[in-house]
C-alpha cells in the first residue's frame, strides 16, 4: 500500500456550472463525470477524476498546509469585501490559524476542504483529499498508481 498522502485540487468557476441543470454531472456514475471540469459533489470523488487534475501531492501535513494557505493568499483579491474567510498574509502564512488548523486536519488523515462564493458570482473550491486510503472511501485507488 502506498504511503498516506493528500492530493490537492482547485476549482474556480461560475456558480451556474455547479447546477448545470442539476448536479448529475458531479456524480461518478454520470458519463460526463470524469471530463466535467466542475468539482464533484462528494470530496472523496476527486480521487476518481483524471490524475491530470491533481495540483500537488503532499506526504507531510506541513507541506499540504503551506499549499492550502498559499492558495488562499493567491486568491485573496477574490475575497475582497468578504468577512467570512480569514486570508493569511503571504509573510505570515505559516503559523496562521488557517495553517495550524490545516496541519491538524491533515495529521488526522482527514480532508481539508474550503469552498467560498467569491467575486463575479464564482465559486472557489480548495481541496486536500486524503489518499491511500481515504477514510470514507477506502476502496478508491490512488489516481497516480
Amino acid at each position: 500500500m502506498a504511503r498516506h498522502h493528500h492530493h490537492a485540487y482547485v476549482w474556480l468557476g461560475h456558480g451556474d456550472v455547479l447546477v448545470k441543470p442539476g448536479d448529475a454531472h458531479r456524480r461518478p456514475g454520470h458519463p460526463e463525470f470524469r471530463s466535467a471540469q466542475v468539482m464533484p459533489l462528494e470530496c472523496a470523488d476527486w480521487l476518481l477524476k483524471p490524475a491530470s487534475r491533481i495540483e500537488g501531492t503532499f506526504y507531510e501535513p506541513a507541506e499540504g498546509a503551506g499549499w492550502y494557505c498559499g492558495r488562499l493568499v493567491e486568491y485573496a483579491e477574490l475575497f475582497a469585501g468578504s468577512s467570512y474567510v480569514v486570508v493569511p498574509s503571504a509573510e505570515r502564512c505559516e503559523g496562521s490559524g488557517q495553517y495550524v488548523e490545516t496541519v491538524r486536519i491533515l495529521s488526522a488523515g482527514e480532508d481539508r476542504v474550503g469552498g467560498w462564493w467569491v467575486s463575479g458570482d464564482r465559486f472557489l473550491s480548495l481541496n486536500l483529499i486524503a489518499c491511500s486510503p481515504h477514510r470514507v472511501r477506502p476502496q478508491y485507488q490512488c489516481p497516480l498508481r
Side-chain angles (χ1 to χ4, degrees):
M1 179 185 293
R3 188 171 142 217
H4 186 76
H5 55 278
H6 286 80
H7 294 299
Y9 301 90
V10 175
W11 184 75
L12 174 63
H14 199 275
D16 288 347
V17 177
L18 291 175
V19 290
K20 169 205 140 189
D23 59 17
H25 64 296
R26 296 175 59 199
R27 298 176 188 274
H30 193 274
E32 291 179 26
F33 175 79
R34 284 188 45 83
S35 63
Q37 292 302 306
V38 70
M39 63 192 218
L41 278 176
E42 186 177 312
C43 300
D45 291 345
W46 275 113
L47 299 174
L48 302 175
K49 293 280 192 176
S52 61
R53 295 295 304 272
I54 297 171
E55 303 251 340
T57 297
F58 305 101
Y59 291 90
E60 299 300 327
E63 293 173 348
W67 176 88
Y68 191 84
C69 285
R71 295 305 68 74
L72 286 173
V73 170
E74 178 182 339
Y75 292 108
E77 68 184 35
L78 299 180
F79 297 109
S82 166
S83 61
Y84 58 87
V85 65
V86 177
V87 177
S89 69
E91 302 80 37
R92 304 195 71 193
C93 193
E94 189 172 325
S96 70
Q98 291 280 3
Y99 179 89
V100 171
E101 181 65 4
T102 302
V103 168
R104 184 194 68 74
I105 289 168
L106 300 184
S107 295
E110 298 174 9
D111 299 334
R112 176 60 155 153
V113 176
W116 306 271
W117 287 101
V118 296
S119 63
D121 293 327
R122 293 175 294 172
F123 192 82
L124 171 64
S125 176
L126 301 178
N127 307 270
L128 286 162
I129 307 301
C131 189
S132 295
H134 189 274
R135 288 171 37 145
V136 177
R137 301 283 182 233
Q139 71 275 22
Y140 285 5
Q141 298 293 316
C142 179
L144 295 179
R145 54 168 261 185

